[in-house]
Every structure is written in structure tokens, then in C-alpha cells.
Amino acid sequence: MKTKKVTVGSVIKWILVVLLLVIQVYPFVYVMISSFKSLDDFRKLPAYALPSSFYIGNYVTVFTKSHMLTYFKNSVIVLIGVLIPLLLIALMAGFALSKIKFRGKKFLLNYFLLGLMLPMQVALIPLFTIFNKLGLINTYAAIILPQIAFSLSYSIQLFYSFSKFFPEEILEAAIIDGCSPMGCFFRMVVPLSLNSVITVATMQAVFCWNEYINAYTFTRSTDMKTVTLGLNDYVGSMGLTDWGATFAAITVTVIPVFIFYFFSSKRMLAGMASGAVKG
Amino acid sequence: MQKAFGKKSIILLFIFPAFLIYTLFVIVSIVWAGYYSFFDWSGVGEKIFIGLQNYIELLSRDDVFRSTIWHTVIYTIINVLIQVFGGLLFAILLSRVKKGRVALQTLYYVPVVISSVAICQIFSKLLSVTPTGVVNQLLSVFNPALKVMEWTSNPNISLYVTAFVEGYKYLGLYMVIFYAALIGVPDELGEAARIDGASLFQEYWHVRIPYIKPVIVANCLLVLNGSLRSFEFSYLLTHGGPGNASELMTTYMYKQAFTSMKYGYGSAVAIMIVIICLIVGVLFKKITGEEAEK
């Protein structure tokens, strides 16, 4: 009796596992499959059907009729422009806040963490007027700087909690050998924190790549748009008429994220869990 | 080490860059928005000081704003339900699976790394009516009338659809967090309950879930905070519509400022959002702080 109960339970369990898997993954599989459908397939076949042949015309359309490559170039520039300064200054601040004792340290930490509760949208009006005055609208600086600022709180929080485990003895030894604090930081702290730097980098990279509202508000022309904006524009103009090209465009923008994610998922998931469980 | 690093100049060197960028772009902007909120201003031309008029208008006469508060509350409740309870369900299931756990976790998390723009596009195609999308095609098997069911352009449900899509995207995030917390529960506790004759359901309901209650409470507030600032799904999937049916506080603010060119009024909405977020944030601090003290 008991063994039978267990098998019924495990059957239900696996049905659930598969069902949830379908829910979580099917929409993306559907998009990729549909990107190979020709116009005829969309007209004649039901939406869930497989394409009748392996048609790559949609991809040709995307790469010849849209500015996909420009969008990718801009996204890469923004990504690098955000990540490198963000990681550097957030690690410096997180490390100092966690390892150096000084007055007002607790206050400063709370000051930085306040940013976790503040939504980015509320800063857009003042930033827009200032950038407008300074002539920064439609420049990389306008896309990059607010993103760094609004990602700082989370990054500092993570580096702060990771730095707690940093072995101080190594620094002591280096200081006795005559290493300056900044020298120590770049020669000891950065290499030894590489694990946490990569964890934070992978998480922030995904946030940055997917960012929408900031880039949307501060860009005007096609040649400055990032992938998310480009996708929205492209689909906005093609979406009603050319579904195949729409699906191909979505696939093209999603594939790099998938590849990146499947290589770094272990770190990203571990970082997500440690950031939120331990606080 | 304290001696070498503890000098004021060194501390300044380490913290100042982050402090400067953060203060300038985050804190100053928000204070600045507070300043704008006392003016009648279209972004160009003269700023006219009108004191608290924007706030009075907002709170007493603006029916649309009042409805956006209501929408935001509903939106938030749906998201807490989907993300916290859904995430917990996924996490429990994951903790019961032995084979292929890592692969499953990786796949379940996929929607989190996809951009909101792509997710909105995908869902607008899945929920399409002409031509019939996958969802309606599937539903028409059960009830042919559902073949022409409108989702994003139906004022009665567009808000729920939007909230569902956001919940769908972020569910995996909370799954990962709850899963990490669940596997941290000492196995002896669960085993002891089983020996005492508890069923699997009772084991979770009475032992494992209460054990991770602080994590659940903390994450409820994280979802709350995330939903209060939600923008993209409403803006991209339904454009806040039809009419104002799925308009949220953030999309309303954005449209007031950048579409209607009412910068002062938009700033007043922004400040209201900040106040609400801060209240939730303080509650969050208080609850998690109390838990930490225990």
C-alpha cells in the first residue's frame, strides 16, 4: 500500500515538473520555432504547429531591413560603459564599508541602501531636463550614467556582504611589506574578490542588457538605440504585418542572452540566492 | 590594516566615487523632482510657482490618479500571489526532485533573464486574437467561444493580464531564493516530523515553511516594492489601456511628464510614488530587522 502511494505521488510530481517546465520554457521555444515559418505557414497552419519547411527568409529580412547590428553595437558599448565603472566603484565602496572601521559607516551604508527602495522612473523628469540643458540627450553618457547610479545600491550591498569573508591577514602582511592601500586594493582585493566580482557582473550584465526605460527616455535617433529599444521599434512597425520577421527579431535579441545565461547560470543563481537570503 | 586604511583620505578615496555618482543621480534627482512638483511647468518656458496646487489637484480632483493607485494595489496583490506563492511552489517541487535538479532550476529561471520587451512581444503574440494565437487556440478546444477572447484589449481583464505577465517573468527569481532557503532547513526537523506521523503536506506546512518564514516575509516586501515601481509591462503590453484600464502610477507619471508635457504635475506623481515606496521600505527594514534580532 505504502509503495503504491509513493509511486502515485511521484507520478503527480513529475507531471507537475513537466507542466511547469512547459509553462516556463514553451513561449521561447514557440518564438524560435515560429521564426522559421513562412508567410504561408502563418496563414494556413495553426499557431502551435511546426513550420512546413526550414525557412530562413525572416532572418534575412531582420538583418537587411532593420538596424539590428547598430542596436547590438550600442548595447555592447552601453554594457561595457556601465559594467566596468560600476564594478570598480561598487567594489571599492562595498569593501571599504565592510572592512574599514570609521565613524558614520553605518549611516553611509544605509544611505547607499536607500537606493534599493527608490524607483528609477521618478528621477527621469529632472534628469531629462538637466541632460537637455547640457546637450547630453541622445548620447551614450545619458544612457550609461543613470544606470550606473541606480545599480550602485544593489552592487554595493552584494560586495559589502561578500567582503565580510575577505581574509584581513593577507592585507596586514602586504601593508608591512610596504604596499599602499590603493596598491593593496588592486593587487590583493580585486584578484581575491574575482569570484564575487564575476557574480555581480553576470547579474548586472543581464539587467543592463535588458534595460528599457532609461535608454527609451534619453535616446532620440535610431543610431543610438539599444537592442531592447530596437526590438520594440522594429516589432512596432512590423508586428501587425510580418509575424515571421517579428519572431526572428525576438530570437536574434534573445539568443545572446541565452548563451550567456547557460554559461553563467550557476554563478547567477548562486548570487541571486545569497544576495537575498543572507541579506 | 586599520591604521593604513583608516586614514580619512584613504576612506574618501574608496567611497567618494560611488558616493558622488549615487548622490548626484539618485538623491539629487529625487529632491529636484520634489522641487519641480511645486510648479506649473511644461518643460520649456516659464516655471510658475503654484505651491501645493499639484498635490491638491492630484489627491482631490484627479480621478485617473485615484484609479491608478487602485490598479497598482491590485497589480501588487496579484504579483505577490504569483511570485511568492508560485515561487514557493516551484521551490518545494524543486527540493523534492533528485534527478536533474540543476538543469530544471536553470530552465525554470529562463524568463527572468529575458528582457521585458521581448516577453511583452511574445505574450502579445501568444494572446493574439487575429490571427488566433496559441492560447486562444488551446482554449477553444474546451470552449469554442474562447477563440475570440480578447486579453490585452479587454478593459475588464487587461490589468490582470499585465500583472500575470510580470509575475510570470519574475517568478523564477523567488523560486531560486526560496529554494536556497528550503535546502537550508535542517533535515532532522523534517525527518522528526515524518517519524511523528506527519504527511508530506503537513511536514511542509508545519515545519519547513514556518522555518523559512522570515525569508518569505522579506521577499513579499521585495515583490511589493518591485510591483510598486513596475512600468514596462503596462507601458509595453497594453499601453496602460484600453483607456486607463491598466494604467499604473508609474506609467501615469511618465505620460503626464513626457506625453502631456506637464513636468510639474508628473513630478508630484513621482514624489507620491517615492513616499509610498519609502513607507514600504521602512516596513521592510523593520520586519527584517526584528527577525534578525530574534
Side-chain angles (χ1 to χ4, degrees), chain A residues 77-115:
Chain A
I77 291 173
V78 170
L79 185 69
I80 295 169
V82 169
L83 272 191
I84 292 173
L86 171 69
L87 292 172
L88 182 67
I89 65 176
L91 179 61
M92 279 176 16
F95 172 79
L97 285 168
S98 130
K99 281 295 174 195
I100 308 174
K101 296 187 185 81
F102 59 94
R103 263 181 48 192
K105 173 174 141 166
K106 184 111 195 161
F107 172 80
L108 256 180
L109 181 67
N110 282 327
Y111 177 71
F112 279 120
L113 295 188
L114 186 68

Side-chain angles (χ1 to χ4, degrees), chain A residues 13 17 23-24 47 99 101 111-112 115-117 121 126 129 172 185 210 216-217 232 235 257 261, chain B residues 1-2 14 22-23 25 27 29 36 96 106 108-110 113 115 121 137 168 229 231 235 253-254 277:
Chain A
K13 185 177 83 187
V17 165
I23 294 173
Q24 294 299 92
K99 281 295 174 195
K101 296 187 185 81
Y111 177 71
F112 279 120
L116 290 172
M117 303 162 197
Q121 296 93 325
T129 58
E172 302 280 8
F185 178 79
N210 291 340
Y216 174 68
T217 309
N232 208 46
V235 174
V257 182
Y261 170 64
Chain B
M1 183 193 149
Q2 287 305 328
F14 271 93
Y22 173 75
T23 306
F25 286 91
I27 304 298
S29 302
Y36 282 160
R96 302 303 305 173
T106 308
Y108 282 167
Y109 192 78
V110 160
V113 299
S115 68
Q121 295 300 352
Q137 215 139 42
Y168 172 81
R229 67 176 68 183
F231 175 85
Y235 195 74
M253 180 218 95
Y254 200 88
C277 282

Side-chain angles (χ1 to χ4, degrees), chain A residues 180-224:
Chain A
S180 72
M182 266 296 150
C184 280
F185 178 79
F186 284 106
R187 259 172 269 161
M188 305 275 164
V189 178
V190 173
L192 285 174
S193 307
L194 211 57
N195 256 328
S196 37
V197 171
I198 294 172
T199 300
V200 178
T202 52
M203 288 156 70
Q204 294 291 2
V206 171
F207 291 151
C208 178
W209 189 265
N210 291 340
E211 204 283 330
Y212 177 75
I213 186 170
N214 187 62
Y216 174 68
T217 309
F218 299 132
T219 54
R220 285 287 167 271
S221 60
T222 307
D223 62 318
M224 288 303 293

Side-chain angles (χ1 to χ4, degrees), chain B residues 145-200:
Chain B
L146 289 172
K147 193 159 185 178
V148 289
M149 174 81 180
E150 298 270 358
W151 298 95
T152 54
S153 55
N154 180 343
N156 296 323
I157 57 167
S158 65
L159 180 68
Y160 308 121
V161 173
T162 324
F164 171 82
V165 175
E166 167 150 1
Y168 172 81
K169 172 168 157 76
Y170 290 111
L171 186 150
L173 197 65
Y174 295 93
M175 169 199 75
V176 170
I177 293 165
F178 291 140
Y179 172 70
L182 270 179
I183 52 173
V185 179
D187 267 337
E188 300 90 81
L189 287 181
E191 275 160 25
R194 294 306 285 274
I195 290 166
D196 289 346
S199 67
L200 192 64

Side-chain angles (χ1 to χ4, degrees), chain B residues 64-118:
Chain B
V64 179
F65 178 69
R66 217 170 306 152
S67 72
T68 63
I69 297 181
W70 185 232
H71 292 161
T72 308
V73 170
I74 297 172
Y75 193 88
T76 305
I77 294 171
I78 295 173
N79 268 302
V80 170
L81 287 177
I82 296 177
Q83 293 177 42
V84 175
F85 289 95
L88 199 56
L89 177 78
F90 272 65
I92 291 172
L93 190 67
L94 209 55
S95 73
R96 302 303 305 173
V97 172
K98 293 208 173 55
K99 244 191 240 158
R101 199 188 261 182
V102 177
L104 269 181
Q105 194 185 22
T106 308
L107 288 170
Y108 282 167
Y109 192 78
V110 160
V112 181
V113 299
I114 304 303
S115 68
S116 316
V117 174

Side-chain angles (χ1 to χ4, degrees), chain B residues 9 125 190 211:
Chain B
S9 58
K125 297 291 177 277
Y211 191 87

